[in-house]
Amino acid sequence: MYTYAQAFDLLRKQLVPLYDERESAAIAHEVVSHITSLSKVQRLVEKNSLFTAPQQLQFESCAEQLVKGVPVQYVTGTAWFMGKEFAVNNNVLIPRPETEELVQWVINEQRNKTTNIIDIGTGSGCIPVSLKLALPGADVTACDISEGALAVARQNAARLTADVAFLQLDFLEAGQQNKLGMFGVIVSNPPYIPFSEKERLHTNVRDNEPGIALFVPNEDALVFYRAIAQFGKSHLTQDGKIYCELDAEHAEACKALFEAEGYWDVTLRKDMFDNWRFLSAQVG
Ligand code: GLN
């Protein structure tokens, strides 16, 4: 059996070929904390305690996955978003810090309003659950094509006691959109990476996160934004607003698309890393 300190050190060293020193240490900390249910400080105090046999097995299985490049969030089954712990597995994208900025933007603008909100392509449910917790007066709906993702999203909503209505549907099929009502706010972080860019992604993402949540056809990278813009014209109430996440490569084209569909005040925003990342648009 390893002591907590030995386990931490061993894992940290095993991860150095994959991550830099700081990240390797952070991941090793996360894993040992997860297995022992101890904070970093407690673990340091008890650094010479030995793993139990089941903890040792769990550690070995975690280490084995991590050295294969599986992201730590899938290994521990949890990810943090807006200060809350969300369950994740490989049916959903790991929530990104940029998406927290999208959610915060919606919260800031929609506070003190009662509205119906829909999140399109909800994945782990990090967006609707966070919105419902911050805006308890809002009616929040979320949809996804993937039953596997919806199972995770429902689990997160239940665990964090957020009352969100979940629906399974293929948003790109016009007929299926009829299942949805009217909304004051549409939010989405849809797939937008052309398949042709797959090889350029970090192997961590490419080999582990669900392709259905990431990729779009090369010849139609804006397919989700177009569907959202068209949906909004018949499913947004007066003064309704759309908030989307995007990448810098598609920002201008997305803005032009929403303007061509008749939206006004189409605004692009940068994320904390200084990349164009968000768009908002008001229905005309
Ligand atoms: N809405 C989820 C997120 O932002 C999932 C996004 C997706 O699967 N494209 O993490």
Side-chain angles (χ1 to χ4, degrees):
M1 290 318 151
Y2 297 138
T3 65
Y4 300 169
Q6 284 169 334
F8 170 79
D9 219 45
L10 190 80
L11 184 56
R12 185 181 62 76
K13 287 192 187 123
Q14 282 181 324
L15 293 177
V16 169
L18 284 91
Y19 302 97
D20 68 32
E21 291 274 351
R22 248 189 60 185
E23 222 179 339
S24 300
I27 294 171
H29 160 60
E30 185 75 30
V31 170
V32 180
S33 295
H34 173 72
I35 291 173
T36 58
S37 309
L38 292 178
S39 70
K40 192 171 178 177
V41 174
Q42 273 176 303
R43 177 170 54 74
L44 291 176
V45 172
E46 297 181 35
K47 67 181 191 301
N48 295 321
S49 304
L50 286 171
F51 275 159
T52 61
Q55 285 176 331
Q56 177 84 16
L57 279 179
Q58 196 186 353
F59 174 77
E60 281 163 13
S61 137
C62 288
E64 193 185 332
Q65 294 175 67
L66 285 163
V67 296
K68 285 190 198 143
V70 178
V72 65
Q73 293 91 341
Y74 289 151
V75 172
T76 61
T78 58
W80 289 89
F81 188 81
M82 306 284 297
K84 298 269 188 308
E85 198 175 32
F86 283 76
V88 293
N89 63 28
N90 61 5
N91 286 306
V92 302
L93 283 196
I94 296 164
R96 305 292 201 267
E98 295 90 323
T99 308
E100 297 184 326
E101 294 183 73
L102 175 74
V103 169
Q104 194 58 55
W105 188 11
V106 178
I107 293 170
N108 293 348
E109 289 196 358
Q110 301 296 324
R111 216 188 296 276
N112 307 324
K113 295 185 192 169
T114 29
T115 189
N116 287 1
I117 301 177
I118 182 162
D119 175 37
I120 295 164
T122 200
S124 64
C126 60
I127 294 176
V129 168
S130 304
L131 288 174
K132 180 67 191 178
L133 294 177
L135 306 170
D139 249 326
V140 183
T141 303
C143 65
D144 205 285
I145 190 173
S146 157
E147 283 291 1
L150 286 168
V152 175
R154 286 196 180 99
Q155 183 189 339
N156 283 322
R159 214 167 60 177
L160 296 167
T161 56
D163 184 12
V164 175
F166 291 100
L167 277 171
Q168 192 278 331
L169 59 88
D170 179 353
F171 189 74
L172 296 182
E173 272 203 33
Q176 300 218 8
Q177 295 179 359
N178 300 337
K179 294 182 188 169
L180 301 168
M182 298 295 289
F183 301 95
V185 171
I186 298 173
V187 193
S188 186
N189 175 24
Y192 54 71
I193 304 172
F195 276 112
S196 56
E197 287 177 25
K198 190 170 176 180
E199 292 310 310
R200 282 206 273 147
L201 291 182
H202 193 286
T203 52
N204 240 349
V205 174
R206 189 177 68 210
D207 301 339
N208 295 285
E209 298 203 69
I212 194 171
L214 293 167
F215 299 116
V216 285
N218 297 332
E219 65 287 355
D220 197 9
L222 301 186
V223 57
F224 281 96
Y225 301 100
R226 188 173 322 102
I228 290 166
Q230 286 167 359
F231 173 76
K233 290 200 289 184
S234 51
H235 288 260
L236 273 175
T237 49
Q238 189 154 12
D239 300 328
K241 196 159 176 178
I242 295 180
Y243 302 86
C244 286
E245 193 165 327
L246 41 69
D247 68 349
E249 216 169 303
H250 301 110
E252 283 302 330
C254 255
K255 183 168 191 272
L257 184 153
F258 276 90
E259 282 166 351
E261 291 287 351
Y263 287 83
W264 63 280
D265 196 15
V266 182
T267 307
L268 293 174
R269 270 207 190 192
K270 285 185 168 179
D271 63 20
M272 62 188 120
F273 306 114
D274 209 28
N275 294 315
W276 292 109
R277 180 67 63 196
F278 312 107
L279 171 146
S280 72
Q282 296 249 169
V283 77

